[in-house]
Coordinates of all heavy atoms in Angstrom, one line a residue:
M240 N 139.9 151.5 189.3 CA 141.0 152.4 189.7 C 140.5 153.4 190.8 O 139.6 154.1 190.6 CB 141.4 153.2 188.4 CG 142.9 153.6 188.5 SD 144.0 152.2 188.4 CE 143.8 151.7 186.7
Q241 N 141.3 153.5 191.8 CA 140.9 154.4 192.9 C 141.8 155.6 192.8 O 142.9 155.6 192.3 CB 141.2 153.7 194.3 CG 140.1 152.8 194.6 CD 140.3 152.2 196.0 OE1 141.5 151.8 196.3 NE2 139.3 152.0 196.8
Q242 N 141.3 156.7 193.3 CA 142.0 157.9 193.4 C 142.6 158.1 194.8 O 141.9 158.0 195.8 CB 141.1 159.1 193.1 CG 140.8 159.3 191.7 CD 142.0 159.6 190.8 OE1 142.9 160.3 191.2 NE2 142.1 158.9 189.6
G243 N 143.9 158.3 194.9 CA 144.5 158.4 196.2 C 144.6 159.9 196.5 O 144.8 160.7 195.7
D244 N 144.6 160.2 197.8 CA 144.7 161.6 198.2 C 145.8 161.7 199.3 O 145.7 162.5 200.2 CB 143.4 162.2 198.6 CG 142.8 161.4 199.8 OD1 143.4 160.4 200.2 OD2 141.8 161.8 200.3
H245 N 146.8 160.9 199.2 CA 147.9 160.9 200.2 C 149.1 161.5 199.6 O 150.2 161.2 200.0 CB 148.1 159.5 200.7 CG 146.9 158.8 201.2 ND1 146.4 159.0 202.5 CD2 146.1 158.0 200.6 CE1 145.3 158.3 202.6 NE2 145.1 157.7 201.5
G246 N 149.0 162.4 198.7 CA 150.2 162.9 198.0 C 150.9 164.1 198.7 O 151.7 164.7 198.1
D247 N 150.5 164.4 199.8 CA 151.0 165.6 200.4 C 152.5 165.6 200.7 O 153.2 166.5 200.4 CB 150.3 165.9 201.8 CG 148.8 166.2 201.5 OD1 148.5 166.6 200.4 OD2 148.0 166.1 202.5
R248 N 152.9 164.4 201.2 CA 154.3 164.4 201.6 C 155.3 164.4 200.4 O 156.3 165.1 200.4 CB 154.6 163.1 202.4 CG 156.0 162.9 202.8 CD 156.3 161.7 203.7 NE 157.7 161.4 203.7 CZ 158.2 160.4 204.4 NH1 157.4 159.6 205.0 NH2 159.5 160.2 204.3
Y249 N 154.9 163.6 199.4 CA 155.8 163.5 198.2 C 155.5 164.7 197.3 O 156.3 165.0 196.4 CB 155.6 162.2 197.5 CG 156.8 161.7 196.8 CD1 157.9 161.2 197.5 CD2 156.9 161.8 195.4 CE1 159.0 160.8 196.8 CE2 158.0 161.4 194.7 CZ 159.1 160.9 195.4 OH 160.2 160.4 194.8
G250 N 154.4 165.3 197.4 CA 154.1 166.5 196.6 C 153.5 166.1 195.3 O 153.8 165.2 194.7
G251 N 152.5 166.9 194.9 CA 151.8 166.7 193.6 C 150.8 165.6 193.6 O 150.5 165.0 194.6
A252 N 150.3 165.4 192.4 CA 149.2 164.4 192.3 C 149.8 163.1 192.1 O 150.9 162.9 191.5 CB 148.4 164.8 191.0
Q253 N 149.1 162.1 192.6 CA 149.5 160.7 192.4 C 148.2 159.9 192.4 O 147.1 160.4 192.8 CB 150.4 160.2 193.5 CG 149.8 160.2 194.8 CD 150.9 160.0 195.9 OE1 152.0 160.5 195.8 NE2 150.5 159.3 197.0
R254 N 148.3 158.7 192.0 CA 147.1 157.8 192.0 C 147.5 156.5 192.6 O 148.7 156.2 192.9 CB 146.6 157.6 190.5 CG 147.6 156.9 189.7 CD 147.0 156.7 188.3 NE 147.8 155.7 187.5 CZ 148.8 156.0 186.7 NH1 149.2 157.3 186.7 NH2 149.4 155.1 186.0
T255 N 146.5 155.7 192.8 CA 146.8 154.3 193.4 C 146.4 153.3 192.3 O 145.5 153.5 191.6 CB 146.1 154.1 194.7 OG1 144.7 154.2 194.4 CG2 146.5 155.1 195.7
E256 N 147.2 152.2 192.3 CA 146.9 151.1 191.4 C 146.9 149.9 192.3 O 147.7 149.8 193.2 CB 147.9 151.0 190.3 CG 147.7 152.0 189.2 CD 148.7 151.7 188.1 OE1 149.1 150.6 187.9 OE2 149.0 152.7 187.3
T257 N 146.1 148.9 191.9 CA 146.2 147.6 192.5 C 147.0 146.7 191.7 O 146.8 146.5 190.5 CB 144.8 147.0 192.7 OG1 144.0 147.9 193.4 CG2 144.8 145.7 193.4
W258 N 148.1 146.1 192.3 CA 149.0 145.2 191.5 C 149.4 144.1 192.5 O 149.8 144.3 193.6 CB 150.2 146.0 191.0 CG 151.2 145.1 190.3 CD1 150.8 144.2 189.3 CD2 152.6 145.1 190.4 NE1 152.0 143.6 188.8 CE2 153.0 144.1 189.5 CE3 153.5 145.8 191.2 CZ2 154.4 143.8 189.3 CZ3 154.8 145.5 191.0 CH2 155.3 144.5 190.1
Q259 N 149.2 142.9 192.0 CA 149.5 141.7 192.8 C 148.8 141.7 194.1 O 149.4 141.3 195.1 CB 151.0 141.5 192.9 CG 151.7 141.3 191.6 CD 153.2 141.0 191.8 OE1 153.8 141.5 192.7 NE2 153.8 140.4 190.8
G260 N 147.6 142.2 194.1 CA 146.8 142.2 195.3 C 147.1 143.2 196.3 O 146.6 143.2 197.4
E261 N 148.0 144.2 195.9 CA 148.4 145.2 196.9 C 148.1 146.6 196.2 O 148.0 146.7 195.0 CB 150.0 145.2 197.1 CG 150.5 143.9 197.6 CD 150.2 143.6 199.1 OE1 149.6 144.6 199.7 OE2 150.5 142.6 199.6
E262 N 147.9 147.5 197.1 CA 147.7 148.9 196.7 C 149.0 149.6 196.5 O 149.9 149.5 197.4 CB 146.8 149.7 197.7 CG 145.4 149.3 197.7 CD 144.7 149.8 196.5 OE1 144.8 151.0 196.2 OE2 144.0 149.0 195.8
W263 N 149.2 150.2 195.3 CA 150.5 150.9 195.1 C 150.2 152.4 194.8 O 149.2 152.7 194.1 CB 151.1 150.3 193.8 CG 151.7 148.9 194.1 CD1 151.0 147.8 194.3 CD2 153.1 148.6 194.2 NE1 151.9 146.7 194.5 CE2 153.2 147.2 194.4 CE3 154.3 149.4 194.1 CZ2 154.4 146.6 194.6 CZ3 155.5 148.7 194.2 CH2 155.6 147.3 194.5
Y264 N 151.0 153.2 195.4 CA 150.9 154.6 195.0 C 151.8 154.8 193.8 O 153.0 154.3 193.8 CB 151.4 155.5 196.2 CG 150.5 155.4 197.4 CD1 151.0 155.0 198.6 CD2 149.2 155.8 197.3 CE1 150.2 154.9 199.7 CE2 148.4 155.8 198.4 CZ 148.9 155.3 199.6 OH 148.1 155.3 200.7
V265 N 151.3 155.5 192.8 CA 152.0 155.7 191.6 C 152.1 157.2 191.3 O 151.1 157.9 191.3 CB 151.3 155.0 190.4 CG1 152.1 155.1 189.1 CG2 151.2 153.5 190.7
R266 N 153.3 157.6 191.0 CA 153.5 159.0 190.7 C 154.4 159.2 189.5 O 155.4 158.5 189.4 CB 154.2 159.7 191.9 CG 154.4 161.2 191.7 CD 154.6 161.8 193.1 NE 155.5 163.0 193.0 CZ 155.2 164.1 192.5 NH1 154.0 164.3 191.9 NH2 156.1 165.1 192.5
L267 N 154.0 160.1 188.6 CA 154.7 160.3 187.4 C 155.7 161.5 187.7 O 155.3 162.5 188.2 CB 153.8 160.7 186.3 CG 154.0 159.9 185.0 CD1 153.0 158.7 185.0 CD2 153.9 160.7 183.8
V268 N 157.0 161.2 187.3 CA 158.0 162.3 187.5 C 158.5 162.7 186.2 O 158.9 161.9 185.3 CB 159.2 161.7 188.3 CG1 160.2 162.7 188.6 CG2 158.7 161.1 189.7
A269 N 158.4 164.0 186.0 CA 158.8 164.6 184.7 C 160.3 164.4 184.4 O 160.8 164.2 183.3 CB 158.4 166.0 184.6
G270 N 161.1 164.5 185.5 CA 162.5 164.4 185.4 C 163.1 164.3 186.7 O 162.5 164.8 187.7
A271 N 164.3 163.8 186.8 CA 164.9 163.7 188.1 C 165.2 165.1 188.7 O 165.7 165.9 188.0 CB 166.2 162.9 188.0
S272 N 164.8 165.3 190.0 CA 165.0 166.6 190.6 C 166.5 166.7 191.1 O 166.9 167.8 191.3 CB 164.0 166.8 191.7 OG 164.1 165.7 192.6
A273 N 167.1 165.6 191.3 CA 168.5 165.6 191.8 C 169.4 165.2 190.7 O 169.5 164.0 190.4 CB 168.7 164.7 193.0
P274 N 170.1 166.1 190.0 CA 170.9 165.8 188.9 C 172.1 164.9 189.3 O 172.7 165.0 190.4 CB 171.5 167.1 188.5 CG 170.6 168.2 189.1 CD 170.0 167.5 190.3
G275 N 172.4 163.9 188.5 CA 173.4 163.0 188.8 C 173.0 161.8 189.6 O 173.8 160.8 189.7
K276 N 171.8 161.8 190.1 CA 171.4 160.7 190.9 C 170.7 159.7 189.9 O 169.9 160.0 189.1 CB 170.3 161.1 191.9 CG 170.0 160.0 192.9 CD 169.4 160.6 194.2 CE 169.3 159.5 195.3 NZ 168.6 160.0 196.5
R277 N 171.1 158.4 190.1 CA 170.6 157.4 189.2 C 169.8 156.4 189.9 O 170.1 156.0 191.1 CB 171.8 156.7 188.4 CG 172.5 157.5 187.4 CD 173.8 156.9 187.0 NE 174.5 157.7 186.0 CZ 174.3 157.7 184.7 NH1 173.4 156.9 184.2 NH2 174.9 158.5 183.9
Y278 N 168.8 155.9 189.3 CA 167.9 154.9 189.9 C 167.9 153.6 189.0 O 168.1 153.7 187.8 CB 166.5 155.4 190.0 CG 166.4 156.7 190.8 CD1 166.2 157.9 190.2 CD2 166.5 156.7 192.2 CE1 166.1 159.1 190.9 CE2 166.4 157.8 192.9 CZ 166.2 159.0 192.3 OH 166.1 160.2 193.0
R279 N 167.8 152.5 189.6 CA 167.7 151.3 188.9 C 166.3 150.8 188.8 O 165.6 150.7 189.8 CB 168.6 150.2 189.5 CG 168.7 148.9 188.7 CD 169.7 148.0 189.3 NE 171.1 148.6 189.2 CZ 171.9 148.4 188.1 NH1 171.4 147.8 187.0 NH2 173.1 148.9 188.0
C280 N 165.8 150.6 187.6 CA 164.4 150.2 187.3 C 164.3 148.7 187.7 O 165.0 147.9 187.1 CB 164.1 150.4 185.9 SG 162.6 149.7 185.4
P281 N 163.4 148.3 188.6 CA 163.2 146.9 188.9 C 162.5 146.1 187.8 O 162.6 144.9 187.8 CB 162.3 147.0 190.2 CG 161.6 148.3 190.1 CD 162.5 149.2 189.3
G282 N 162.0 146.8 186.8 CA 161.3 146.1 185.7 C 162.3 145.4 184.8 O 162.1 144.3 184.3
C283 N 163.4 146.2 184.4 CA 164.3 145.7 183.4 C 165.8 145.7 184.0 O 166.7 145.3 183.3 CB 164.3 146.6 182.2 SG 164.8 148.3 182.5
D284 N 165.9 146.1 185.2 CA 167.3 146.1 185.9 C 168.2 147.0 185.1 O 169.4 146.7 185.1 CB 167.8 144.7 186.0 CG 168.8 144.5 187.1 OD1 168.7 145.3 188.1 OD2 169.7 143.7 187.0
Q285 N 167.7 148.0 184.5 CA 168.6 149.0 183.9 C 168.5 150.3 184.6 O 167.5 150.6 185.3 CB 168.2 149.2 182.4 CG 168.2 147.9 181.6 CD 169.6 147.4 181.3 OE1 170.5 148.2 181.0 NE2 169.8 146.1 181.6
E286 N 169.5 151.1 184.5 CA 169.5 152.4 185.2 C 168.6 153.4 184.4 O 168.5 153.4 183.2 CB 170.9 153.0 185.3 CG 171.7 152.4 186.4 CD 173.0 153.1 186.6 OE1 173.4 154.0 185.8 OE2 173.7 152.8 187.6
I287 N 168.0 154.3 185.2 CA 167.2 155.4 184.6 C 168.1 156.6 184.5 O 168.6 157.0 185.5 CB 165.9 155.7 185.4 CG1 165.0 154.4 185.5 CG2 165.2 156.9 184.8 CD1 163.9 154.6 186.5
P288 N 168.4 157.1 183.3 CA 169.3 158.2 183.2 C 168.7 159.5 183.9 O 167.5 159.7 183.9 CB 169.4 158.5 181.7 CG 168.3 157.8 181.1 CD 167.8 156.7 182.0
P289 N 169.6 160.3 184.5 CA 169.1 161.5 185.2 C 168.3 162.4 184.2 O 168.7 162.6 183.1 CB 170.4 162.2 185.6 CG 171.4 161.1 185.6 CD 171.0 160.2 184.5
G290 N 167.2 162.9 184.7 CA 166.4 163.8 183.9 C 165.4 163.1 183.0 O 164.6 163.8 182.4
A291 N 165.4 161.8 183.0 CA 164.4 161.1 182.2 C 163.1 161.0 182.9 O 163.1 160.7 184.1 CB 165.0 159.7 181.8
P292 N 162.0 161.2 182.2 CA 160.7 161.0 182.8 C 160.5 159.6 183.2 O 160.9 158.7 182.5 CB 159.7 161.4 181.7 CG 160.5 162.2 180.7 CD 161.9 161.7 180.8
H293 N 160.0 159.3 184.4 CA 159.8 158.0 184.8 C 158.7 157.9 185.9 O 158.1 158.9 186.2 CB 161.1 157.4 185.4 CG 161.6 158.1 186.6 ND1 162.4 159.2 186.5 CD2 161.5 157.9 187.9 CE1 162.7 159.7 187.7 NE2 162.2 158.9 188.6
V294 N 158.5 156.7 186.4 CA 157.4 156.5 187.3 C 158.0 156.1 188.7 O 158.9 155.3 188.8 CB 156.4 155.4 186.8 CG1 155.5 154.9 187.9 CG2 155.7 155.8 185.6
V295 N 157.5 156.7 189.7 CA 157.8 156.3 191.1 C 156.6 155.6 191.7 O 155.5 156.1 191.7 CB 158.2 157.6 191.9 CG1 158.6 157.1 193.3 CG2 159.3 158.4 191.3
A296 N 156.9 154.4 192.2 CA 155.8 153.6 192.8 C 156.3 153.0 194.0 O 157.4 152.6 194.2 CB 155.4 152.5 191.8
W297 N 155.3 152.9 195.0 CA 155.7 152.2 196.2 C 154.4 151.6 196.8 O 153.3 152.1 196.6 CB 156.3 153.2 197.2 CG 155.4 154.3 197.7 CD1 154.6 154.4 198.8 CD2 155.3 155.6 197.0 NE1 154.0 155.6 198.9 CE2 154.4 156.4 197.8 CE3 155.8 156.2 195.9 CZ2 154.0 157.7 197.4 CZ3 155.4 157.5 195.5 CH2 154.6 158.2 196.3
P298 N 154.6 150.5 197.5 CA 153.4 149.8 198.0 C 152.9 150.5 199.3 O 153.7 151.0 200.1 CB 154.0 148.4 198.4 CG 155.5 148.7 198.6 CD 155.9 149.8 197.8
E299 N 151.6 150.4 199.4 CA 150.9 151.0 200.5 C 151.4 150.5 201.9 O 151.7 151.2 202.8 CB 149.4 150.8 200.4 CG 148.6 151.6 201.5 CD 147.1 151.3 201.3 OE1 146.8 150.2 201.0 OE2 146.4 152.3 201.5
W300 N 151.7 149.1 201.9 CA 152.1 148.5 203.1 C 153.6 148.8 203.4 O 154.0 148.7 204.6 CB 151.9 147.0 203.0 CG 152.5 146.4 201.7 CD1 151.7 146.1 200.6 CD2 153.8 146.0 201.4 NE1 152.6 145.6 199.7 CE2 153.8 145.5 200.1 CE3 155.0 146.0 202.2 CZ2 155.0 145.1 199.5 CZ3 156.2 145.6 201.6 CH2 156.1 145.1 200.2
G301 N 154.3 149.3 202.4 CA 155.7 149.5 202.7 C 156.0 151.0 203.0 O 156.9 151.3 203.8
G302 N 155.2 151.8 202.4 CA 155.4 153.3 202.7 C 156.3 153.9 201.6 O 156.9 153.2 200.8
V303 N 156.4 155.2 201.7 CA 157.1 155.9 200.7 C 158.6 155.7 200.7 O 159.3 155.8 199.7 CB 156.8 157.4 200.9 CG1 157.5 158.0 202.1 CG2 157.2 158.2 199.6
D304 N 159.1 155.2 201.8 CA 160.5 154.9 201.9 C 160.9 153.6 201.1 O 162.1 153.4 200.8 CB 160.9 154.6 203.4 CG 160.9 155.9 204.2 OD1 161.0 157.0 203.5 OD2 160.8 155.8 205.4
D305 N 159.9 152.9 200.7 CA 160.1 151.7 199.8 C 159.9 152.0 198.3 O 159.8 151.1 197.5 CB 159.2 150.6 200.2 CG 159.7 149.7 201.4 OD1 160.9 149.8 201.6 OD2 158.9 149.0 202.0
R306 N 159.9 153.3 198.0 CA 159.5 153.6 196.6 C 160.6 153.1 195.7 O 161.8 153.1 196.0 CB 159.3 155.1 196.5 CG 160.6 155.9 196.8 CD 160.2 157.4 196.8 NE 161.3 158.3 197.1 CZ 161.7 158.6 198.3 NH1 161.0 158.1 199.3 NH2 162.7 159.4 198.5
R307 N 160.2 152.8 194.5 CA 161.1 152.4 193.4 C 160.8 153.3 192.2 O 159.7 153.7 191.9 CB 160.8 150.9 193.0 CG 161.0 149.9 194.2 CD 162.5 149.7 194.4 NE 162.7 148.7 195.4 CZ 162.8 149.0 196.7 NH1 162.7 150.3 197.1 NH2 163.1 148.1 197.6
H308 N 161.9 153.4 191.4 CA 161.8 154.2 190.2 C 161.8 153.3 189.0 O 162.7 152.4 188.9 CB 163.0 155.2 190.1 CG 163.0 156.2 191.3 ND1 162.7 157.5 191.1 CD2 163.3 156.0 192.6 CE1 162.7 158.1 192.2 NE2 163.1 157.3 193.2
W309 N 160.8 153.4 188.2 CA 160.6 152.6 187.0 C 160.6 153.4 185.8 O 160.2 154.6 185.8 CB 159.2 151.9 187.1 CG 158.9 151.0 188.2 CD1 158.8 151.3 189.5 CD2 158.7 149.6 188.1 NE1 158.5 150.1 190.2 CE2 158.4 149.1 189.4 CE3 158.6 148.7 187.0 CZ2 158.1 147.7 189.6 CZ3 158.3 147.3 187.2 CH2 158.1 146.9 188.5
H310 N 161.1 152.8 184.7 CA 160.8 153.4 183.4 C 159.3 153.3 183.2 O 158.6 152.4 183.7 CB 161.4 152.6 182.2 CG 162.9 152.6 182.3 ND1 163.7 151.5 182.6 CD2 163.8 153.6 182.0 CE1 165.0 151.8 182.5 NE2 165.1 153.1 182.2
K311 N 158.8 154.3 182.5 CA 157.3 154.4 182.3 C 156.8 153.1 181.6 O 155.8 152.5 181.9 CB 157.0 155.6 181.5 CG 155.8 156.4 182.1 CD 155.9 157.9 181.5 CE 155.1 158.0 180.2 NZ 155.0 159.4 179.8
A312 N 157.6 152.7 180.6 CA 157.2 151.6 179.8 C 157.2 150.3 180.6 O 156.4 149.4 180.5 CB 158.1 151.4 178.5
C313 N 158.2 150.2 181.5 CA 158.4 149.0 182.3 C 157.2 148.9 183.3 O 156.7 147.8 183.6 CB 159.7 149.0 183.1 SG 161.1 148.9 181.9
W314 N 156.8 150.0 183.9 CA 155.7 150.0 184.8 C 154.4 149.6 184.1 O 153.7 148.8 184.6 CB 155.5 151.4 185.5 CG 154.3 151.5 186.4 CD1 153.1 152.0 186.1 CD2 154.2 150.9 187.7 NE1 152.3 151.9 187.2 CE2 152.9 151.2 188.2 CE3 155.1 150.2 188.5 CZ2 152.5 150.7 189.4 CZ3 154.6 149.8 189.8 CH2 153.3 150.1 190.2
N315 N 154.2 150.2 182.9 CA 153.0 149.8 182.2 C 153.0 148.4 181.8 O 152.0 147.8 181.6 CB 152.9 150.7 180.9 CG 152.6 152.1 181.3 OD1 152.0 152.4 182.3 ND2 153.0 153.1 180.4
A316 N 154.2 147.8 181.6 CA 154.3 146.4 181.1 C 154.5 145.4 182.3 O 154.7 144.2 182.0 CB 155.5 146.3 180.1
K317 N 154.4 145.9 183.5 CA 154.7 145.0 184.6 C 153.8 143.8 184.7 O 154.2 142.7 185.1 CB 154.7 145.8 185.9 CG 153.3 146.3 186.3 CD 153.4 147.2 187.5 CE 152.0 147.7 188.0 NZ 151.2 148.3 186.9
D318 N 152.5 144.0 184.3 CA 151.6 142.8 184.3 C 152.0 141.8 183.3 O 151.9 140.6 183.5 CB 150.2 143.3 184.0 CG 149.6 144.1 185.3 OD1 150.0 143.7 186.4 OD2 148.9 145.1 185.1
R319 N 152.4 142.3 182.1 CA 152.9 141.4 181.1 C 154.1 140.6 181.5 O 154.2 139.4 181.3 CB 153.2 142.2 179.8 CG 152.7 141.5 178.5 CD 152.5 142.5 177.4 NE 153.6 143.4 177.2 CZ 153.5 144.7 177.0 NH1 152.3 145.2 177.1 NH2 154.5 145.5 176.8
R320 N 155.0 141.3 182.2 CA 156.2 140.6 182.7 C 155.8 139.6 183.7 O 156.3 138.5 183.6 CB 157.1 141.6 183.3 CG 157.8 142.6 182.4 CD 158.6 143.6 183.1 NE 159.4 144.4 182.1 CZ 160.5 144.1 181.7 NH1 161.1 142.9 182.1 NH2 161.2 144.8 180.8
T321 N 154.9 139.9 184.6 CA 154.6 139.0 185.6 C 153.9 137.7 185.1 O 154.3 136.6 185.4 CB 153.6 139.7 186.6 OG1 154.2 140.8 187.1 CG2 153.2 138.7 187.8
S322 N 153.0 137.9 184.1 CA 152.3 136.8 183.6 C 153.2 135.9 182.7 O 153.1 134.7 182.7 CB 151.1 137.2 182.8 OG 151.5 138.1 181.7
R323 N 154.2 136.6 182.1 CA 155.1 135.9 181.3 C 156.0 134.9 182.2 O 156.2 133.8 181.8 CB 156.0 136.8 180.5 CG 156.9 136.1 179.5 CD 157.9 137.0 178.9 NE 157.3 138.2 178.2 CZ 157.8 139.4 178.2 NH1 159.0 139.6 178.9 NH2 157.2 140.4 177.6
V324 N 156.4 135.5 183.3 CA 157.2 134.7 184.2 C 156.4 133.5 184.7 O 156.9 132.3 184.7 CB 157.6 135.5 185.4 CG1 158.2 134.6 186.5 CG2 158.7 136.5 184.9
Q325 N 155.1 133.7 185.1 CA 154.3 132.6 185.6 C 154.1 131.6 184.5 O 154.1 130.4 184.7 CB 153.0 133.2 186.1 CG 153.2 133.9 187.4 CD 151.9 134.6 187.8 OE1 151.0 134.8 187.0 NE2 151.8 135.1 189.0
R326 N 153.9 132.1 183.3 CA 153.6 131.2 182.2 C 154.8 130.3 181.9 O 154.6 129.1 181.7 CB 153.1 132.0 180.9 CG 152.3 131.1 180.0 CD 151.5 132.0 179.0 NE 152.2 133.1 178.5 CZ 151.8 134.4 178.6 NH1 150.6 134.6 179.2 NH2 152.4 135.3 178.1
S327 N 155.9 130.9 181.8 CA 157.1 130.1 181.5 C 157.4 129.1 182.6 O 158.0 128.0 182.4 CB 158.3 131.0 181.3 OG 158.7 131.7 182.5
R328 N 157.1 129.5 183.9 CA 157.4 128.6 185.0 C 156.5 127.4 184.9 O 156.9 126.3 185.3 CB 157.2 129.4 186.3 CG 157.6 128.6 187.5 CD 157.4 129.4 188.8 NE 158.3 130.6 188.8 CZ 158.0 131.7 189.5 NH1 156.9 131.7 190.2 NH2 158.8 132.7 189.6
N329 N 155.2 127.6 184.5 CA 154.3 126.5 184.4 C 154.3 125.8 183.1 O 153.6 124.8 182.9 CB 152.9 127.0 184.7 CG 152.8 127.6 186.1 OD1 153.5 127.2 187.0 ND2 151.9 128.6 186.3
A330 N 155.0 126.3 182.1 CA 154.9 125.8 180.8 C 155.6 124.4 180.7 O 156.6 124.1 181.4 CB 155.6 126.7 179.8
P331 N 155.0 123.5 180.0 CA 155.7 122.2 179.8 C 157.0 122.3 179.1 O 157.2 123.1 178.2 CB 154.7 121.4 179.0 CG 153.9 122.4 178.3 CD 153.8 123.6 179.2
R332 N 157.9 121.4 179.4 CA 159.2 121.5 178.8 C 159.3 120.4 177.7 O 158.9 119.3 177.9 CB 160.3 121.3 179.8 CG 160.4 122.4 180.8 CD 161.5 122.2 181.8 NE 161.5 123.3 182.8 CZ 162.3 123.3 183.9 NH1 163.2 122.4 184.0 NH2 162.2 124.3 184.7
Y333 N 160.0 120.8 176.6 CA 160.1 119.9 175.5 C 161.6 119.5 175.3 O 162.4 120.3 175.6 CB 159.6 120.5 174.2 CG 158.1 120.8 174.3 CD1 157.7 122.1 174.5 CD2 157.2 119.8 174.2 CE1 156.3 122.4 174.5 CE2 155.8 120.0 174.2 CZ 155.4 121.3 174.4 OH 154.1 121.6 174.5
Ligands
ZN685 ZN1 163.0 149.6 183.1

């Protein structure tokens, strides 16, 4: 796990994670700063309610404009989701 130090623009501390061969900036948000604004979590395709703590992540190659808002649990489970998809795709059919 590497420590990123590019958090100036978005403010506050963030870290980097490697996922699917890419570097991702990951930032924990205690609650939505813009009330009424809703985000859709790409992990479960459900909306994140305003004010709910969640994770903001964006790929290094895409930049901060490509950031996505995830439920904390969905971000933590993203590897499980990915492997499950691959496994089911390669699984033999009965
Ligand atoms: Zn989610």
Side-chain angles (χ1 to χ4, degrees):
M240 206 72 69
Q241 282 181 320
Q242 287 295 319
D244 58 356
H245 305 279
D247 294 341
R248 177 177 166 182
Y249 209 75
Q253 67 193 34
R254 66 181 193 271
T255 60
E256 288 187 22
T257 304
W258 181 42
Q259 294 185 336
E261 305 283 356
E262 286 288 308
W263 288 72
Y264 295 120
V265 182
R266 178 160 150 73
L267 233 97
V268 181
S272 52
K276 192 162 188 183
R277 289 168 182 273
Y278 304 104
R279 188 170 292 274
C280 167
C283 63
D284 204 31
Q285 302 291 313
E286 281 189 351
I287 299 170
H293 61 277
V294 170
V295 181
W297 63 95
E299 186 180 39
W300 47 265
V303 72
D304 289 337
D305 276 342
R306 64 186 178 273
R307 296 285 182 271
H308 296 254
W309 296 68
H310 295 111
K311 230 160 86 174
C313 294
W314 176 258
N315 289 334
K317 64 189 185 305
D318 288 324
R319 221 157 47 229
R320 288 175 174 276
T321 303
S322 59
R323 188 190 301 145
V324 168
Q325 288 172 345
R326 203 161 40 237
S327 65
R328 189 179 292 159
N329 297 331
R332 293 181 185 177
Y333 296 104

